[in-house]
Amino acid sequence: MVLKLEYGVKKDLLIRYLEEIKTLSEDLSKDINDDVDYEIQKLAQNQFNIAVVGQFKRGKSTFINAMLKDRIVPMAIIPLTSIVTIIKYGKQFKITVVFNDETQKEIPHHMLEEYATERGNPKNEKGVKHISIEYPSDFLKKGITLIDTPGVGSVFQHNTDITYNFLPKLDAAIFLFTIDSPVAQSELDFLKDVSKRAVKIFFLLNKTDYAEKNDIKEALDFTKRILLENLETPNIKIYSISAKIALEAGLENHKSKWENSGFPEFIADLEEFISSEKGNALLTSVCKSALGLISQLKFTAELELKAVTTPLDELNEKISSLKKEFQKIEEEERDILHVFDGETKEILGKLQYNYENFKTNNYKILETDLEQQFKENINLPTKEFIENTRNYITDETLNLIDSWRKKELKELAEASEKITGKLSQKIESIISELQHLTADIFDIKFEGFLRIKGFKQAGYFYYNMEPEKSFLMPNPLSVARFLPQSMAKKVVKNHLRQWLQQQFDRQCGRVRYDISQRMNLTFNNYADYLKNIIRETKENILKSLEKAAEIMKHGESSTEEKVKKLKNIIMEIKKLEKNINQIMLQI
């Protein structure tokens, strides 16, 4: 009969096991120490991380403010949050910026936007690691930490990367969709990664205040069907909410608004989860992380043991054989990347073709519309005529180009995800081949522990509709005021026709150049990322083997001492693995 352990006992045991993992890693893989420390801290503080995640512009920051019933984190209609913001309980409102070099700076609330947002801290030029907020909330007092993450899938690639890098630290997730665009492919890809880490995911359909009841029901049904088709989860509940109305209700203490926001049902279920399941969910999350770290250590230890117990000549022969096999795999890697390079050029070639078609077909539309605008405003005073027409040109040009840009980016994303998906699968296969090859040569058991990140778009984009400076094209208003009204209008119209062509050509060129450069950079960076994983895998394997060979050169006593040490380490690793699995069974 297995004695059922209390939560506190399981937590203390797990902290002890994590400390033991850290001790064992000193001789094998010190690079996992930060991960171990994080899990220990999470357990010791009874910290349960609930990350608010989703695609950009889903209203995540507004949702967090609604949860806290205060305007704590910045909100905007553009993709804004650029840094992970960690919000936990504190007796007083306090904001601390933690930088990449681990230095800290306490800031007043009005300065938060300067560090947490894309507008105030573009591309994280200030080197912020994360922002910590302490806030006196009854909800947070229950041991909950809310995480505001940058949106994935926007044109700010570094924001997507930040959010993906934080995934190992979440325990549960609140995944936001919106009524206007329920589910995007990039969200499904991201959601699959989230589901591997989170022990619980709450699905929310936000911005329902913009839709009728029938539209909300249709969006809920559609979203649920898509999630059921793509996730290995039989029971999915989606809450229909309006974070905007909930925030207004919280700020105004407005009971009926709160009821109409859809929050009460969600909050009730979340509270039930926190009170009845939070502890076990936290333990499960930490156990999963610990078992992944153990797999990494076990492979390294068993490889070193096998190497150090192999006769030196045979070991050197196996290392040499392994290097030759690695060289063969390098040829396979080059071939794969060469094909990928050709596929990326084909995608960029299609972008150029689509761009030329767009320019040719749409400039004529703008010209025709401009002449109609002239007719409708011909009786206006010259100054007002110019201002109205220039505003019209700006708006129409932006709208037309932006519509094409969005359509083009969607097509590019689909094509890019297709070719990078194939590439990552092939590279994953190469890495698995490297590890299996090593395991086979040295006759050790292999358990995969690598997960390659998916491809995401990079870069950012902005418009500039200011007219070009030119001494050859004076401001028409400065000339027109000295001319008769009829002649002035002719001069103005000719100038505005030229300005339309100038702006259309300029902005089209910028869009094409920006997308082309961004895609090129992203393709290159992703290929480099995959190449580095292959390189590091090979280097780590060879480093373990060469370390063993070096020990054997120092004589039999050094070898025996190392063998004894590695056997003890492996025995301890297996014992830890068994103990952690036993905790998992009792959760």
Side-chain angles (χ1 to χ4, degrees), residues 53-57 60 149-156 159-161 163-164 175 186-187 190 456:
V53 294
Q55 190 166 272
F56 69 104
K57 289 183 70 175
K60 294 184 295 297
T149 64
V152 299
S154 79
V155 292
F156 301 101
N159 292 353
T160 295
D161 291 342
T163 301
Y164 263 84
F175 208 103
S186 59
E187 283 178 299
F190 179 55
K456 301 292 164 188

Side-chain angles (χ1 to χ4, degrees), residues 180-382:
D180 52 346
S181 175
V183 187
Q185 184 59 48
S186 59
E187 283 178 299
L188 290 174
D189 295 338
F190 179 55
L191 184 52
K192 288 173 184 175
D193 288 327
V194 171
S195 64
K196 292 175 184 175
R197 296 296 316 181
V199 294
K200 175 74 174 180
I201 303 177
F202 292 91
F203 298 103
L204 279 69
L205 187 69
N206 192 20
K207 302 185 182 181
T208 54
D209 50 304
Y210 293 106
E212 300 294 330
K213 284 186 177 180
N214 289 340
D215 294 330
I216 294 172
K217 184 180 184 306
E218 186 178 344
L220 286 169
D221 290 343
F222 172 79
T223 304
K224 186 171 184 177
R225 177 170 59 81
I226 296 297
L227 293 178
L228 287 170
E229 288 174 0
N230 287 271
L231 298 178
E232 297 176 2
T233 306
N235 299 314
I236 289 176
K237 181 175 183 178
I238 305 174
Y239 301 86
S240 170
I241 65 146
S242 168
K244 177 176 172 288
I245 291 177
L247 176 57
E248 291 172 0
L251 294 171
E252 301 166 11
N253 196 22
H254 199 297
K255 188 176 180 180
S256 63
K257 270 192 177 182
W258 180 255
E259 294 294 330
N260 292 333
S261 71
F263 262 57
E265 182 186 6
F266 162 67
I267 293 294
D269 288 353
L270 180 60
E271 296 268 5
E272 172 63 24
F273 167 75
I274 290 168
S275 62
S276 64
E277 300 179 46
K278 188 199 82 171
N280 285 339
L282 176 59
L283 292 175
T284 301
S285 173
V286 175
C287 282
K288 284 182 178 180
S289 298
L291 289 172
L293 296 170
I294 282 174
S295 291
Q296 205 171 327
L297 288 180
K298 189 162 64 171
F299 179 79
T300 304
E302 288 181 346
L303 178 61
E304 284 192 27
L305 176 62
K306 197 69 179 182
V308 86
T309 54
T310 302
L312 185 57
D313 289 343
E314 184 182 340
L315 175 60
N316 287 329
E317 188 179 320
K318 285 188 174 184
I319 292 174
S320 177
S321 173
L322 198 58
K323 286 180 177 178
K324 287 177 184 177
E325 293 298 326
F326 284 0
Q327 285 175 350
K328 291 178 187 177
I329 291 173
E330 282 174 13
E331 292 176 15
E332 184 182 348
E333 176 192 346
R334 281 194 294 269
D335 290 343
I336 289 170
L337 291 170
H338 181 71
V339 171
F340 176 69
D341 185 58
E343 289 174 330
T344 61
K345 285 183 170 61
E346 188 177 329
I347 286 176
L348 294 174
K350 188 178 178 184
L351 167 65
Q352 180 64 28
Y353 175 79
N354 291 346
Y355 163 74
E356 295 294 345
N357 280 347
F358 168 76
K359 270 192 71 179
T360 302
N361 297 331
N362 287 276
Y363 181 66
K364 294 174 184 177
I365 295 172
L366 284 174
E367 274 188 317
T368 302
D369 291 347
L370 180 61
E371 295 304 319
Q372 183 61 34
Q373 178 74 5
F374 286 158
K375 289 177 183 178
E376 292 174 4
N377 292 278
I378 195 64
N379 294 323
L380 292 174
T382 303

